[in-house]
């Protein structure tokens, strides 16, 4: 390659394009990730045009080189005789003063590159940001934790868990991909920059392994190199107490970069620490305890069961039936009801919605999808413990929404017209999309839930608009069971006791989606307007 520096700058620019575009929070909705495929196809077409133009330019340069080479091989063998001819002399001077100048200082390469950049700028708004890359990496680490996935297996495209020394495939994806050393490096780097060495170590270990297998060869599309991975991995091991391994990795790094002053100082520091500490054993990685999620172990265990709790469902008081709620409209077409729990009262209505209705609801919601928020004092905020996008649909926007409201009212007997219930919220989950344990009802008098001035959320009606291949269950933490994603089904539960106090047993979570595109629709019903539909009890303790 004649000009490696120019090609490096070109590829660095292309990488920057892919990483620094301004698609907002793409990682929080799989629908947006799907749309990115068509954007990359456009980029590929633009890059192909650029390559064709550059090949044509290089062919012209090769032709010029061949022309001059032939002159030197044939005409200029006898310089004196050649220069005696004034035509030959003229063409030599003209070529050196004009043709070489035009070739060496041609703007064609810059014009081709500018055309590529201009075509990129047309797609810029639909490209992911650095935040999206970080969010996608965190999503993979979330799946790694919640489903106890083996990093070395994920790198090979497998979703595998090791239990008691035995590896088990928890899901075999139809479509898979192998991760590269650079793929792993970026995930490890995201963890490293957050001082999360529990995650940075295994991902950087895989990065180093893959870079070594490639012979340390750098590819222009890569952000990281073997040296970068070794550097980050060595310090990660130092931070978790594996000083001897950090020293070994630093020595390997010096083999590639022997004059790196910072690494030389680290080696000196590690050697002194080892001498002072004496013989030490390798320290195993320990997952940090959660300071904000006290129910983490139960939550993750329920997510891993993916709705399979045979002991829970052996309760003889639980049952299935055809349910009409004494509503005349349901007498000829009762709904399949399955009682999942009595305390809290949770039921699932099978085949509540049709495929066509689900697709229409998703279609109406897509243009309005925005990052999901949670209550934060009197306001709302985006948080990492809820990764999804949502949209609110009014009954006036689609007759389908009105029909669903009517159907919900028939099954529950509740008044679901605004303001006695909120508009239908449609949610699409992102990469590793989840919603950690939470209550649907407000637990603070300053909550935005009370802005409707119709009391607290007395009940939740959640509709599954899609199926997923793995993950995504709804886990009821204190009630100790989870419900798998069942397309077209709907779950209903009471959030409040009849005395108006919140039911602590309704603490629930949306487990991370492992494989699939999860869509749900939520209908939250408020206290006011239900005075004759859901009466208060005379017992203040009920």
């Amino acid at each position: 390659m004649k000009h490696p520096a120019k090609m490096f700058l070109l590829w660095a620019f292309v990488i920057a394009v892919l990483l620094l575009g301004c698609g907002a929070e793409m990682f929080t909705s799989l629908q947006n990730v799907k749309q990115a495929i068509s954007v990359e196809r456009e980029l590929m077409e633009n890059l192909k045009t650029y390559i064709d133009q550059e090949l044509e330019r290089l062919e012209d340069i090769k032709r010029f080189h061949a022309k001059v080479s032939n002159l030197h091989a044939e005409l200029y063998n006898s310089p004196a005789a050649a220069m005696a001819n004034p035509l030959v002399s003229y063409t030599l001077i003209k070529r050196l003063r004009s043709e070489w100048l035009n070739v060496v200082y041609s703007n064609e390469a810059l014009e081709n590159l500018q055309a590529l950049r201009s075509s990129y700028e047309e797609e810029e708004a639909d490209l992911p940001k650095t935040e999206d890359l970080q969010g996608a990496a965190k999503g993979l680490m979330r799946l790694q934790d919640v489903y106890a996935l083996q990093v070395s297996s994920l790198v090979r495209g497998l979703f595998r868990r090791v239990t008691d020394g035995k590896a088990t495939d928890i899901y075999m994806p139809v479509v898979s991909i192998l991760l590269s050393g650079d793929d792993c490096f970026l995930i490890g780097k995201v963890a490293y920059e957050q001082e999360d060495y529990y995650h940075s170590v295994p991902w950087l270990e895989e990065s180093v392994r893959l870079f070594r297998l490639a012979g340390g060869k750098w590819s222009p599309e890569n952000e990281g190199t073997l040296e970068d991975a070794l550097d980050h991995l060595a310090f990660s091991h130092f931070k978790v107490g594996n000083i001897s391994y950090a020293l070994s990795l630093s020595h390997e790094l010096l083999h590639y970069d022997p004059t790196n002053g910072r690494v030389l100082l680290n080696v000196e520091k590690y050697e002194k620490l080892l001498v002072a500490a004496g013989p030490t054993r390798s320290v195993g990685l320990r997952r940090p305890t959660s300071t904000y999620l006290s129910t983490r172990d139960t939550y993750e265990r329920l997510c891993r069961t993916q709705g399979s709790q045979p002991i829970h469902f052996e309760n003889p008081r639980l049952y299935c039936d055809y349910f009409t709620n004494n509503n005349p409209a349901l007498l000829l077409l009762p709904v399949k009801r399955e009682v999942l729990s009595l305390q809290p009262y949770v039921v699932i209505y099978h085949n509540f919605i049709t495929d066509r209705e689900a697709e229409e609801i998703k279609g109406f919601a897509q243009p309005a999808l925005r990052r999901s928020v949670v209550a934060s004092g009197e306001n709302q905020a985006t948080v990492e413990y809820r990764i999804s996008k949502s949209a609110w649909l009014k009954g006036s926007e689609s007759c389908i929404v009105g029909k669903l409201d009517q159907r919900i009212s028939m099954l529950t007997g509740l008044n679901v017209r605004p303001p006695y219930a909120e508009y239908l919220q449609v949610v699409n989950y992102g990469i590793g999309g989840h919603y950690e344990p939470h209550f649907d009802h407000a637990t603070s008098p300053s909550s935005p839930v009370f802005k409707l001035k119709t009391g607290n959320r007395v009940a939740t009606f959640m509709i599954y608009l899609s199926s997923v291949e793995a993950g995504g269950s709804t886990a009821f933490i204190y009630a100790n069971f989870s419900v798998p994603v069942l397309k077209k089904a709907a779950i209903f539960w009471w959030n409040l006791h009849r005395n108006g106090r919140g039911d602590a047993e309704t603490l629930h979570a949306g487990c991370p989606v492992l494989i699939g595109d999860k869509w749900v629709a939520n209908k939250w019903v408020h206290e006011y307007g239900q005075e004759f539909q859901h009466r208060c009890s005379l017992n203040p303790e009920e």
Side-chain angles (χ1 to χ4, degrees):
M1 186 180 290
K2 292 277 186 179
H3 301 289
K6 289 183 179 179
M7 289 304 295
F8 169 78
L9 289 173
L10 167 62
W11 279 105
F13 170 78
V14 173
I15 293 167
V17 164
L18 294 174
L19 296 183
L20 299 177
C22 55
E25 298 173 325
M26 180 184 292
F27 73 98
T28 63
S29 168
L30 213 61
Q31 179 63 29
N32 293 150
V33 179
K34 288 179 184 177
Q35 292 167 349
I37 295 174
S38 61
V39 176
E40 187 169 47
R41 286 195 180 120
E42 284 293 325
L43 289 177
M44 288 167 59
E45 286 297 318
N46 297 337
L47 187 59
K48 178 65 167 60
T49 300
Y50 170 78
I51 291 170
D52 290 341
Q53 291 171 339
E54 283 294 280
L55 288 174
E56 185 178 342
R57 182 179 67 83
L58 291 173
E59 282 298 320
D60 289 339
I61 295 173
K62 286 169 66 177
R63 179 189 50 75
F64 174 75
H65 178 268
K67 180 181 81 169
V68 176
S69 296
N70 289 336
L71 288 172
H72 279 265
E74 299 172 3
L75 196 61
Y76 298 155
N77 276 335
S78 177
M83 293 305 105
N85 186 330
L87 295 175
V88 175
S89 297
Y90 165 75
T91 56
L92 173 64
I93 293 172
K94 183 257 184 182
R95 198 168 53 251
L96 289 172
R97 185 66 190 95
S98 177
E99 294 180 14
W100 274 98
L101 195 68
N102 292 334
V103 169
V104 172
Y105 291 99
S106 170
N107 289 325
E108 189 176 359
L110 183 59
E111 290 168 359
N112 292 343
L113 183 57
Q114 187 58 49
L116 176 64
R117 290 175 177 172
S118 296
S119 61
Y120 151 70
E121 289 168 1
E122 295 175 4
E123 308 292 339
E124 188 173 12
D126 297 320
L127 292 171
K129 291 182 176 180
T130 301
E131 178 193 3
D132 291 304
L133 179 60
Q134 294 170 342
K138 291 176 183 177
L140 290 179
M141 289 185 274
R142 184 181 311 118
L143 294 175
Q144 169 194 344
D145 288 344
V146 173
Y147 296 105
L149 300 177
Q150 194 180 37
V151 172
S152 59
S153 297
L154 285 173
V155 171
R156 289 177 285 136
L158 303 173
F159 294 84
R160 183 171 290 172
R161 179 189 304 151
V162 176
T163 306
D164 298 327
K166 183 180 179 182
T168 305
D169 287 315
I170 64 173
Y171 185 76
M172 296 292 289
V174 177
V175 178
S176 191
I177 194 169
L178 302 178
L179 299 187
S180 68
D182 193 57
D183 294 332
C184 298
F185 171 71
L186 285 172
I187 298 171
K189 186 182 177 186
V190 168
Y192 177 92
E193 290 174 347
Q194 293 189 316
E195 299 182 357
D196 176 8
Y197 306 112
Y198 171 78
H199 288 107
S200 71
V201 166
W203 285 103
L204 291 171
E205 289 277 13
E206 288 299 315
S207 176
V208 167
R209 180 183 67 82
L210 291 168
F211 276 134
R212 284 171 178 162
L213 284 175
K217 183 180 178 182
W218 180 79
S219 296
E221 68 270 21
N222 287 352
E223 177 175 322
T225 63
L226 175 59
E227 293 93 318
D228 293 327
L230 286 168
D231 194 7
H232 285 74
L233 180 59
F235 191 75
S236 294
H237 273 293
F238 164 68
K239 294 297 289 185
V240 298
N242 289 331
I243 300 173
S244 59
Y245 194 31
L247 178 61
S248 174
L249 292 167
S250 298
H251 278 304
E252 183 180 352
L253 177 55
L254 287 174
H255 173 74
Y256 298 101
D257 189 8
T259 61
N260 190 314
R262 178 178 54 78
V263 178
L264 287 168
L265 288 175
N266 284 346
V267 166
E268 183 180 346
K269 175 182 178 180
Y270 299 157
E271 288 174 341
K272 289 180 179 178
L273 288 171
L274 287 172
V275 170
T280 59
R281 291 187 299 176
S282 177
V283 179
L285 290 175
R286 290 186 178 180
R287 185 180 176 189
T289 56
S290 174
T291 56
Y292 71 94
L293 185 56
S294 59
T295 59
R296 184 178 74 180
D297 291 344
T298 303
Y299 160 59
E300 292 181 353
R301 174 178 56 79
L302 290 171
C303 289
R304 290 169 196 169
T305 64
Q306 301 187 66
S308 174
Q309 300 93 21
I311 295 177
H312 171 86
F313 293 116
E314 285 175 2
N315 184 344
R317 297 175 63 199
L318 303 179
Y319 59 92
C320 300
D321 64 359
Y322 284 96
F323 182 67
T324 65
N325 198 28
N326 295 321
N327 189 297
L330 295 175
L331 289 177
L332 295 178
L333 193 64
V335 175
K336 295 177 182 178
R337 178 179 66 167
E338 182 179 353
V339 179
L340 301 175
S341 172
L342 298 174
Q343 183 53 43
Y345 180 76
V346 182
V347 299
I348 187 165
Y349 299 108
H350 294 273
N351 296 317
F352 171 80
I353 192 172
T354 66
D355 286 320
R356 181 178 177 181
E357 289 171 334
E359 291 305 312
E360 285 194 30
I361 291 293
K362 288 155 62 176
F364 281 120
Q366 283 177 21
L369 288 173
R370 299 293 183 271
R371 176 76 182 268
S372 297
V373 296
V374 300
S376 178
E378 295 182 2
N379 301 311
Q380 295 178 317
T382 60
V383 288
E384 285 198 8
Y385 63 79
R386 187 182 189 187
I387 300 297
S388 62
K389 283 189 175 180
S390 54
W392 298 87
L393 301 184
K394 299 179 182 179
S396 58
E397 294 181 30
S398 165
C399 63
I400 296 296
V401 176
K403 287 180 181 179
L404 290 182
D405 281 350
Q406 185 179 25
R407 207 174 300 162
I408 293 170
S409 183
M410 287 192 299
L411 280 173
T412 63
L414 299 174
N415 181 354
V416 299
R417 296 192 309 272
Y420 306 116
E422 297 171 41
Y423 294 125
L424 190 71
Q425 185 198 54
V426 182
V427 183
N428 180 223
Y429 288 80
I431 300 171
H434 71 144
Y435 193 173
E436 287 183 355
H438 63 282
F439 295 106
D440 280 357
H441 62 271
T443 56
S444 166
S446 62
S447 171
V449 167
F450 293 112
K451 288 184 177 179
L452 282 178
K453 301 187 183 303
T454 52
N456 210 337
R457 290 171 171 171
V458 68
T460 294
F461 198 96
M462 184 175 74
I463 309 165
Y464 287 129
L465 300 175
S466 68
S467 59
V468 299
E469 286 84 325
S473 301
T474 302
F476 287 84
I477 309 304
Y478 295 139
N480 198 32
F481 72 96
S482 61
V483 186
V485 177
L486 299 172
K487 186 179 180 181
K488 301 189 292 185
I491 307 176
F492 172 77
W493 67 87
W494 297 108
N495 293 308
L496 307 179
H497 293 293
R498 285 186 177 271
N499 59 17
R501 289 202 300 263
D503 186 349
E505 296 292 318
T506 62
L507 183 73
H508 64 286
C511 297
V513 180
L514 187 58
I515 302 286
D517 186 10
K518 181 181 175 182
W519 288 80
V520 301
N522 296 308
K523 189 73 175 179
W524 285 302
V525 186
H526 283 235
E527 292 176 278
Y528 298 179
Q530 317 306 331
E531 292 83 357
F532 299 103
Q533 283 81 9
H534 184 64
R535 296 178 182 274
C536 297
S537 170
L538 295 176
N539 181 358
E541 300 302 318
E542 185 179 353

